[in-house]
Amino acid sequence: MSTFTFIRSPSRLQPLIRLATPRTLVPNFRTQARFTTSALKMSSSEKPYFPDEPSAPIIKTPIPGPKSQKAISELDQVFDTRALNMMACYPKSIGNYIADLDGNMLLDVYAQIASIPVGYSNPHLIETAKSPAMIDSLVNRPALGNFPRHDWAEILKTGLLKVAPKGCNQVFTAMSGSDANETAFKAAFMWRRRKDRGEGADFTEEELASTMLNKAPGSPDLSIMSFTHAFHGRLFGSLSTTRSKPIHKLDIPAFDWPKAPFPALKYPLEDHIEENNAEEKRCLEEVKKIIKEFHSPVAAIIIEPVQSEGGDNHASPEFFKGLRQITRKHGVLMIVDEVQTGGGASGKFWAHSHWNMEDPPDMVTFSKKCQAAGYYFGNPELRPNKPYRQFNTWMGDPARAVLFRGIVEEVESKKLLDNVQKVGDYLYGGLEKLSKKYPGEIMNLRGKGQGTFIAWDSPRRDEILKKAKTVGVNVGGCGPTAIRLRPMLVFQQHHADIFLDAMEKCIKS
């Protein structure tokens, strides 16, 4: 049986070659990964959310081990495994730890590409999955636009809308983050053309005929502006706004839509105040210019609070407030993509809440940690003027909305946002100490005050990510050189100690 060796691409671990014999980087695999006493000592005031999870990572074999190798080989016959990171065993995964088939248990600070909110095998979510509402949603899945559940309003009000962003009191549910952005784009275009025609005006015969030929005026020449290094999904419309990596876009026809520069800030922020202010001002001026001059009128802009796949790039609240002022002045909608940043990892349920905007975004898209997907909005004009214009068979999934409600209940009952803020500050402080000790290894540390949504640049990023698994940590990267942390909301101080100790081991090795 052959085994896989892995190399890290900017956003995924990918198999590089097959070796006849497993090559290990840790001399003894049949013991629990060793950590310093301080890393394993629980804070006296800290009660574990998952008492039955391991006290530390467990490494028994190289990854992948023999059982995982066999499972990967079988899967590869029917499913493309070239992007495979790790063959997981979810029945044995618990809390902050992801298991494989060979008995390895890794501290997971990647969490299914930022998608697991409250821990593996969460007891409350398991009970939610057994509820009559969940069973009914799974067995009798409705075509929501035509045949919604009798209690669909209650499910939305007690879950999705209970944590709706400021200024939003309605939601359109979708299937994925890409789908959420696509449908938000459609809402923006329909809103824009409704404004152009005048309220109450109906479609013309020319519009009805020309749209069937994919031509104007029925299919108008409008655009969505995105930003350098942005990632908004891989469907046709969303892919035209994605600017993170060429491999995402190659061979796929794209819309001719504009790209504005996203600020390239210098770190530490406190040492580059004037330069960063000037950079953000430059980017805002370019946004104004594009809106005024681009050949296809801009109906909306879309932007992430933190450009996650593109490298964990940040900007100041003042920058985003400036964008809101520009869009408002020029009659352009502002869509905030919270697919990866939403759900609590920033210490607030929605990362854009950190901006403290008096004039909130027009739409906020979501998925990942929410386990459901869609976009929030408040302006009733963002509902299309006729039925069936924003429509498909499923229009989301009630089962995922029921699960989201369970997630909200868990976040609130355990005060997990408070935990994220506290642990995030602790984790950032530990990384700051390591960055001073190893300045050439941890560079451009960022995410201070943003909960556990932390990242840094590493000249040995791919090597560090591979080594991390040998010391029991699953961590991811993004952009050309960034290591990004995406732990769950149940990540606690003792987990941070384990992670910091593991990172130092990787750096020193």
Side-chain angles (χ1 to χ4, degrees), residues 117-118 125 369-371 403-411:
V118 290
L125 295 194
K369 272 189 170 62
C370 299
Q371 294 290 298
L403 189 65
F404 182 90
R405 181 169 63 182
I407 292 166
V408 171
E409 292 167 350
E410 188 78 339
V411 170

Side-chain angles (χ1 to χ4, degrees), residues 191-442:
W191 172 87
R192 171 61 181 261
R193 289 298 291 139
R194 188 173 171 182
K195 289 291 185 184
D196 292 344
R197 290 188 191 93
E199 193 61 39
D202 206 349
F203 309 118
T204 66
E205 288 299 324
E206 184 183 11
E207 287 173 330
L208 294 172
S210 61
T211 196
M212 301 307 292
L213 301 173
N214 296 337
K215 295 183 180 298
S219 298
D221 186 17
L222 296 173
S223 65
I224 303 290
M225 180 197 296
S226 59
F227 291 78
T228 306
H229 308 305
F231 183 90
H232 299 294
R234 301 171 191 256
L235 298 178
F236 274 101
S238 56
L239 193 58
S240 290
T241 58
T242 287
R243 316 283 186 173
S244 50
K245 301 178 185 74
I247 196 64
H248 297 154
K249 299 168 67 73
L250 284 167
D251 297 334
I252 311 300
F255 292 109
D256 182 13
W257 289 353
K259 175 183 69 174
F262 190 90
L265 301 186
K266 295 183 178 181
Y267 295 88
L269 294 176
E270 59 271 19
D271 293 344
H272 300 91
I273 295 174
E274 291 186 9
E275 295 167 89
N276 289 339
N277 287 342
E279 170 67 357
E280 292 191 337
K281 182 178 179 181
R282 179 188 71 84
C283 293
L284 289 174
E285 289 300 318
E286 188 63 23
V287 168
K288 292 180 189 176
K289 182 179 179 182
I290 291 171
I291 288 176
K292 291 177 180 178
E293 300 178 3
F294 194 72
H295 57 81
S296 298
V298 178
I301 69 166
I302 184 166
I303 195 164
E304 304 155 89
V306 179
Q307 287 190 321
S308 304
E309 295 296 328
D312 259 38
N313 308 313
H314 292 250
S316 73
E318 288 68 32
F319 173 75
F320 294 103
K321 290 176 183 177
L323 285 177
R324 172 78 281 198
Q325 291 171 0
I326 293 169
T327 56
R328 184 65 74 190
K329 179 179 178 180
H330 293 280
V332 172
L333 297 179
M334 183 176 185
I335 304 168
V336 173
D337 180 345
E338 289 257 24
V339 168
Q340 186 158 159
T341 55
S346 72
K348 295 182 182 292
F349 207 93
W350 304 109
H352 76 273
S353 300
H354 286 280
W355 307 340
N356 295 315
M357 293 173 65
E358 294 182 8
D359 186 5
D362 297 288
M363 287 179 273
V364 177
T365 61
F366 62 91
S367 188
K368 286 193 179 279
K369 272 189 170 62
C370 299
Q371 294 290 298
Y375 66 87
Y376 291 103
F377 64 101
N379 183 354
E381 293 180 357
L382 287 173
R383 281 194 183 188
N385 60 341
K386 293 181 184 294
Y388 287 101
R389 301 195 69 199
Q390 190 77 294
F391 187 88
N392 56 59
T393 299
W394 298 130
M395 291 180 66
D397 184 350
R400 312 312 297 182
V402 170
L403 189 65
F404 182 90
R405 181 169 63 182
I407 292 166
V408 171
E409 292 167 350
E410 188 78 339
V411 170
E412 292 182 341
S413 67
K414 291 185 168 56
K415 295 182 170 56
L416 292 182
L417 295 183
D418 292 341
N419 175 69
V420 171
Q421 292 172 14
K422 179 184 71 174
V423 176
D425 290 343
Y426 179 83
L427 179 59
Y428 189 92
L431 287 166
E432 205 167 33
K433 291 176 183 177
L434 286 179
S435 71
K436 292 176 181 177
K437 190 174 180 180
Y438 307 100
E441 296 285 349
I442 296 179

